[in-house]
Amino acid sequence: MSDTPTVKITHGDTVIDCAPGETVLQAMLRAGIDTPYSCRNGMCLTCITRLVEGEVPSDSQIGIKDTLQAQGYFLPCVCEPTQDIGVAPPEPAEIFGRAVVTEVAHPSKNVCRVRLMPATPLYYRAGQFINIRRSDGLTRAYSLASVPSLDRYLELHVKRLPRGQMSNWFYEDLQPGEAVDIQGPNGSCFYIPDKKDQPLLLIGNGSGLSPLIGIARDALNDGHTGPIHLYHGTRHQGGLYLDNLLRELAEEHDNLSYMPCLSREDTPETRRGRAEDVALQDHAELAGYRVYLCGYPPMVRDMQRRAFMAGAALPDIYIDPFELRDLRKKPRD
Ligand SMILES: Cc1cc2nc3c(=O)[nH]c(=O)nc-3n(C[C@H](O)[C@H](O)[C@H](O)COP(=O)(O)OP(=O)(O)OC[C@H]3O[C@@H](n4cnc5c(N)ncnc54)[C@H](O)[C@@H]3O)c2cc1C
Ligand code: FES
């Protein structure tokens, strides 16, 4: 709990007392306001809200692009207000663009690959993420697997989760021709072409491969000369949903190595173990490397620490934890 006094949040006709230590999102949900959110920790931007009166701490605007910050947009899930404020839902025209689904494929029994054509060009870097908003307002973040200089479409890889609202809709119901709202691009997990001979280590599990394939293709297309080591982890062989494509890409590029890792199955063409453990066995000394970690949040955060301990400089470790809206009875650690 902080020393901040109770302040008032005005949302339309509703005035809510926000207790010390409470976030604006918590206060709005407590008051029964139906507002979108997912990760609750400033990662996904699905809760983005407009400030119409007062000021909010500047750290509640981290990750929001400058032009939107200047218009008062902030993230209520990480905002503990220090003064009375007025808030409103985002202006759709300021936040969202439109995109039409052009293709839905199911490369594994749990992952679908969705291609979208935005109504106006989206200027993004491979590996960034966008938010997808369904017509009922449900909004979730998905990383971009496409590369702007190579692909006309936006590509997402969505892993179906048990009882997951958006991911099951993607997997079961979404059809080409359907339109969705998109917000973004967001995030800073992408390739920077400043040191072309730097070794890159890319580790992801499940659909955590999505930003990594974009980053790897972007680096190769940009003429990266250093080695690029891509580790994809899953439990069983069926989860290696881009196996053929990645093997072909590695055949074409001498500096790309692809290492599929299975934690529950042995096969002649895969390594046994978690992707992050296998990667560290192969690359025990990471000084001078740039490391990209994407997917399951506990893996990403643990591996961030281990990569640092192995010698990677903190600014050279890029992370994209796929934080979920936690609806489980027992919270994750
Ligand atoms: C920056 C970022 C990038 C991301 N990129 C990707 C990506 O590229 N690909 C990808 O697949 N995901 C990605 N995610 C995760 C994605 O945003 C969604 O959170 C994910 O798809 C789950 O959404 P959902 O609506 O299907 O699940 P939700 O409905 O939000 O459910 C979340 C969790 O709660 C469980 N649950 C749901 N209902 C219940 C219930 N009644 N009781 C108990 N448990 C329940 C679900 O199994 C699931 O584990 C990303 C997240 C972030 C923050
Ligand atoms: S950034 Fe607020 S819910 Fe994810």
Side-chain angles (χ1 to χ4, degrees):
M1 299 290 263
S2 73
D3 297 333
T4 319
T6 296
V7 298
K8 294 201 182 304
I9 301 170
T10 306
H11 182 281
D13 295 335
T14 311
V15 179
I16 315 154
D17 281 334
C18 184
E22 193 174 32
T23 65
V24 174
L25 180 67
Q26 287 168 334
M28 288 200 292
L29 295 175
R30 181 169 49 72
I33 293 171
D34 182 18
T35 189
Y37 69 95
S38 184
C39 73
R40 288 181 183 246
N41 70 2
M43 292 297 301
C44 71
L45 273 71
T46 54
C47 66
I48 193 164
T49 294
R50 199 159 44 98
L51 184 76
V52 291
E53 207 179 317
E55 283 182 21
V56 288
S58 58
D59 55 6
S60 63
Q61 294 188 303
I62 291 173
I64 297 177
K65 68 179 179 185
D66 296 351
T67 46
L68 292 178
Q69 285 191 22
Q71 288 165 275
Y73 283 97
F74 72 106
L75 301 177
C77 68
V78 288
C79 178
E80 292 179 22
T82 53
Q83 56 173 255
D84 293 353
I85 54 171
V87 301
E91 284 291 344
E94 289 170 356
I95 295 285
F96 292 103
R98 211 71 178 137
V100 175
V101 176
T102 55
E103 201 181 315
V104 184
H106 299 86
S108 88
K109 69 177 178 24
N110 280 324
V111 176
C112 65
R113 192 195 68 201
V114 177
R115 290 184 176 162
L116 304 157
M117 193 59 74
T120 53
L122 185 77
Y123 297 99
Y124 69 99
R125 309 290 295 264
Q128 286 191 291
F129 70 92
I130 56 174
N131 278 307
I132 301 286
R133 187 173 73 157
R134 230 167 48 175
S135 57
D136 64 356
L138 187 76
T139 311
R140 296 283 185 267
Y142 293 99
S143 303
L144 289 157
S146 44
V147 179
S149 51
L150 297 173
D151 306 316
R152 284 187 60 229
Y153 48 80
L154 306 175
E155 180 167 310
L156 314 176
H157 301 165
V158 180
K159 182 171 179 199
R160 178 163 62 152
L161 296 177
R163 291 191 277 188
Q165 289 185 77
M166 185 70 108
S167 57
N168 281 283
W169 177 73
F170 263 110
Y171 197 93
E172 308 268 353
D173 303 324
L174 191 64
Q175 297 292 334
E178 193 140 0
V180 290
D181 289 334
I182 60 171
Q183 179 274 320
N186 311 306
S188 52
C189 185
F190 51 77
Y191 174 69
I192 300 169
D194 56 346
K195 295 180 193 156
K196 294 207 170 179
D197 55 352
Q198 189 174 28
L200 306 184
L201 179 61
L202 282 52
I203 306 173
N205 36 34
S207 53
L209 180 60
S210 171
L212 297 181
I213 186 156
I215 291 165
R217 288 176 68 224
D218 196 23
L220 292 167
N221 186 50
D222 217 77
H224 192 84
T225 55
I228 304 172
H229 308 282
L230 171 53
Y231 288 77
H232 183 214
T234 176
R235 289 180 182 168
H236 301 288
Q237 185 143 30
L240 298 172
Y241 67 91
L242 292 185
D243 201 46
N244 289 341
L245 189 149
L246 284 166
R247 286 183 192 278
E248 281 167 22
L249 205 61
E251 287 272 306
E252 285 165 23
H253 298 273
D254 289 343
N255 62 333
L256 175 68
S257 68
Y258 160 59
M259 194 56 68
C261 306
L262 302 180
S263 60
R264 305 250 176 111
E265 200 175 330
D266 282 312
T267 80
E269 294 191 317
T270 53
R271 297 276 293 279
R272 179 70 190 252
R274 293 176 188 274
E276 63 276 23
D277 296 335
V278 176
L280 273 182
Q281 281 163 22
D282 295 351
H283 305 274
E285 171 54 63
L286 293 179
Y289 278 62
R290 188 174 297 174
V291 182
Y292 293 89
L293 307 168
C294 303
Y296 185 52
M299 180 288 278
V300 168
R301 300 204 188 283
D302 183 51
M303 187 57 203
Q304 183 183 28
R305 182 187 57 77
R306 292 167 75 190
F308 176 67
M309 300 298 284
L314 261 189
D316 275 341
I317 307 175
Y318 293 73
I319 63 166
D320 191 5
F322 290 1
E323 299 283 356
L324 304 178
R325 175 168 168 164
D326 212 327
L327 303 173
R328 295 181 175 105
K329 288 201 178 78
K330 283 190 187 167
R332 286 173 295 130
D333 54 11

